[in-house]
Amino acid sequence: MLRAWTVSRKKNRTPLIEALRKYFSYGRRGKWTFQTNGMVLYYHAETEIKRHQLVRAEVSPYDGNWTYWSKRRGIYTGTPMRVSKLLKKQKGICPICKQHFTPDDLIEVDHIIPKSKGGKDRYDNLQALHRHCHDAKSKNDYLYDWLDNGYEWKDDVLTVPTTRD
């Protein structure tokens, strides 16, 4: 089908082989790979399958459960973009107390390594915490020597112990 399309696009004065070389060249699948300018046409079998999680039957975008929709989509009206992205990255769980966020919780954005200790203001150094968890962590920030690399990655979230071991 692509060969017929190429033939239909060729001008009468252009030889067929030159018209075919314009769109077909040696590539991943051999000599007759349909590609141009670094773009390759994938076969259907090469397309990655992306599974989607079903929406729970009892929830609606209008019911006010912003934590569910922020965790699910990474965006929700009325929720700051930074909080929504962090909720999605953390799968809706507070890294300190390991509890799920609920719509009634007060959520604060925390620097894992405090800016006063050399931490950057980037997403890999931010985490969403319950307000009371944030207070407990911030209280102990001065006790912790950040150069010890005591923090660790768990499920793509950087976590820090709340107290010194």
Side-chain angles (χ1 to χ4, degrees):
M1 187 163 95
L2 290 173
R3 185 179 187 281
W5 174 81
T6 305
V7 170
S8 71
R9 290 190 45 98
K10 93 173 187 67
K11 307 285 191 260
N12 289 336
R13 62 184 182 276
T14 307
L16 178 61
I17 194 70
E18 287 187 29
L20 289 173
R21 281 189 186 135
K22 182 175 180 182
Y23 298 105
F24 292 90
S25 60
Y26 189 81
R28 212 179 326 161
R29 290 177 222 99
K31 184 176 180 181
W32 293 103
T33 301
F34 187 79
Q35 61 186 7
T36 180
N37 296 334
M39 303 288 283
V40 178
L41 181 65
Y42 288 102
Y43 286 141
H44 181 72
E46 294 175 334
T47 305
E48 180 182 342
I49 296 173
K50 185 175 181 182
R51 304 286 182 204
H52 298 282
Q53 182 181 6
L54 293 177
V55 176
R56 292 192 327 229
E58 68 272 5
V59 297
S60 164
Y62 307 107
D63 66 0
N65 190 351
W66 59 270
T67 52
Y68 173 78
W69 292 102
S70 294
K71 180 177 79 170
R72 181 178 167 78
R73 298 185 62 222
I75 56 170
Y76 187 74
T77 307
T79 305
M81 182 64 74
R82 191 158 75 162
V83 173
S84 294
K85 285 184 178 182
L86 291 172
L87 282 174
K88 183 173 180 159
K89 181 175 88 171
Q90 295 173 202
K91 299 179 178 93
I93 298 174
C94 176
I96 300 294
C97 65
K98 310 296 188 241
Q99 298 292 318
H100 286 274
F101 291 106
T102 64
D104 300 330
D105 289 335
L106 298 173
I107 298 177
E108 293 185 353
V109 176
D110 173 56
H111 289 86
I112 297 169
I113 301 173
K115 291 175 80 172
S116 63
K117 302 282 186 178
K120 304 288 185 209
D121 199 17
R122 299 185 327 212
Y123 274 107
D124 60 351
N125 189 39
L126 296 176
Q127 62 185 350
L129 300 175
H130 292 108
R131 178 174 279 177
H132 58 278
C133 294
H134 184 228
D135 292 341
K137 181 195 170 287
S138 296
K139 180 179 79 172
N140 294 320
D141 275 347
Y142 74 94
L143 296 173
Y144 191 75
D145 184 10
W146 296 99
L147 299 177
D148 288 344
N149 293 330
Y151 51 88
E152 57 186 334
W153 287 96
K154 290 184 180 175
D155 298 325
D156 292 335
V157 177
L158 191 64
T159 58
V160 178
T162 55
T163 58
R164 193 175 183 98
D165 293 330

